[in-house]
Amino acid sequence: MQFFGGSEISPSPPTPTTTTGNNAHRIYIFNRNGVCLLYREWNRPLHTLNPQQDHKLMFGLLFSLKSLAAKMDPTRTSDLRETLKYIYNLYVEYVAKNPLYTPGTPI
């Protein structure tokens, strides 16, 4: 393949220099509907699934990771200052001001 710099780039990953370990390299490209557009593999000694099942499992993993990342996105969280102030005031009233409470013991 040639890119903007005019240098030639090999479509296969570099061969590992160490003899220990079993590195399998795979690339998947899916469309939005979950159809695998491109699949390549290098150094994969063990084939456990047929390709259709393998593609479905990988797309399911990527879809789940995408939804998890969307739920953990900090820009969707509202301002929690009032909630934290309320919890702090409860702690002060019922724990810190309690004469029977010994610091360091479970609440």
Side-chain angles (χ1 to χ4, degrees), residues 18-68:
T18 60
T19 58
T20 60
N22 209 0
N23 296 330
H25 303 282
R26 290 180 271 175
I27 185 169
Y28 296 87
I29 297 179
F30 294 101
N31 67 3
R32 291 182 182 258
N33 297 324
V35 177
C36 185
L37 301 175
L38 175 71
Y39 174 70
R40 295 281 192 270
E41 64 183 38
W42 300 271
N43 303 331
R44 187 175 179 197
L46 181 63
H47 298 279
T48 56
L49 301 172
N50 65 23
Q52 287 79 21
Q53 288 178 331
D54 195 26
H55 296 164
K56 286 180 184 179
L57 286 174
M58 184 57 68
F59 184 76
L61 172 73
L62 295 173
F63 186 79
S64 299
L65 286 175
K66 179 183 173 188
S67 65
L68 176 70

Side-chain angles (χ1 to χ4, degrees), residues 73-86:
D73 185 15
T75 59
R76 297 182 184 196
T77 305
S78 62
D79 189 20
L80 296 176
R81 289 182 190 161
E82 293 301 318
T83 307
L84 291 174
K85 283 181 185 178
Y86 176 74

Side-chain angles (χ1 to χ4, degrees), residues 72-101:
M72 293 178 61
D73 185 15
T75 59
R76 297 182 184 196
T77 305
S78 62
D79 189 20
L80 296 176
R81 289 182 190 161
E82 293 301 318
T83 307
L84 291 174
K85 283 181 185 178
Y86 176 74
I87 293 171
Y88 177 75
N89 288 334
L90 286 176
Y91 174 79
V92 168
E93 283 296 318
Y94 294 107
V95 178
K97 290 183 179 179
N98 186 353
L100 301 176
Y101 175 69

